[in-house]
Amino acid sequence: MLYGIGCDLCAIAHLEKSLTGPHAAAFVRRVYGEAERAALGLDAPLPAGRSAAHRLASAAANFAAKEAFLKAAGTGLREPFSLCEIEAVRQESGAPAYRFSGKTADWVQAHHLTARLSLSHEGGMALAFCTLEQPET
């Protein structure tokens, strides 16, 4: 049974300012979980070039995934949620998936939810769709 659906659109240029500005390190720690930071190389400054553009687009898609989840949950960003506890990771196949930790994971489990994620980026924008489903009763 569908519990909620959410989508979000993130301007890559806007996120780039947050990732390269004077408070970038604090922003990264507050927003991205450990697995995301490692996969995207966000603990180091973004180098110039094509690989940096792809990393930036992926970081924007991950940010949109967090917002899409919060919309699907119907709560917005408030307790018990923390952005860094909502991670967009890639499965072995390359498909995106959610990984939850902390109080966010507790909330998802308590509501018996399965989260599904779809990501895309093109033309300076990143997009995420999230569905939250509960088992049929």
Side-chain angles (χ1 to χ4, degrees):
M1 176 173 79
L2 186 63
Y3 180 90
I5 185 168
C7 68
D8 192 68
L9 191 62
C10 179
I12 295 170
H14 181 75
L15 185 67
E16 181 176 23
K17 291 178 184 177
S18 297
L19 292 175
T20 59
H23 305 291
F27 176 81
V28 167
R29 283 190 309 274
R30 182 175 54 85
V31 173
Y32 295 95
E34 191 174 311
E36 289 174 310
R37 291 193 313 265
L40 297 170
L42 292 178
D43 288 328
L46 289 173
R50 188 178 178 104
S51 81
H54 183 5
R55 285 174 43 200
L56 189 56
S58 294
N62 284 23
F63 185 86
K66 298 164 187 297
E67 295 287 334
F69 169 80
L70 294 170
K71 291 172 183 177
T75 62
L77 183 57
R78 63 173 179 81
E79 284 290 329
F81 304 118
S82 175
L83 290 176
C84 66
E85 293 179 353
I86 306 164
E87 292 186 274
V89 297
R90 304 311 182 268
Q91 297 176 18
E92 240 181 75
S93 66
Y98 281 107
R99 179 184 302 158
F100 303 107
S101 60
K103 291 180 181 178
T104 301
D106 295 343
W107 185 89
V108 169
Q109 186 176 17
H111 287 81
H112 309 288
L113 295 172
T114 299
R116 302 192 191 282
L117 174 61
S118 181
L119 301 174
S120 186
H121 49 80
E122 179 70 35
M125 301 298 286
L127 175 73
F129 281 96
C130 170
T131 60
L132 296 177
E133 302 166 16
Q134 289 178 318
E136 297 289 331
T137 56

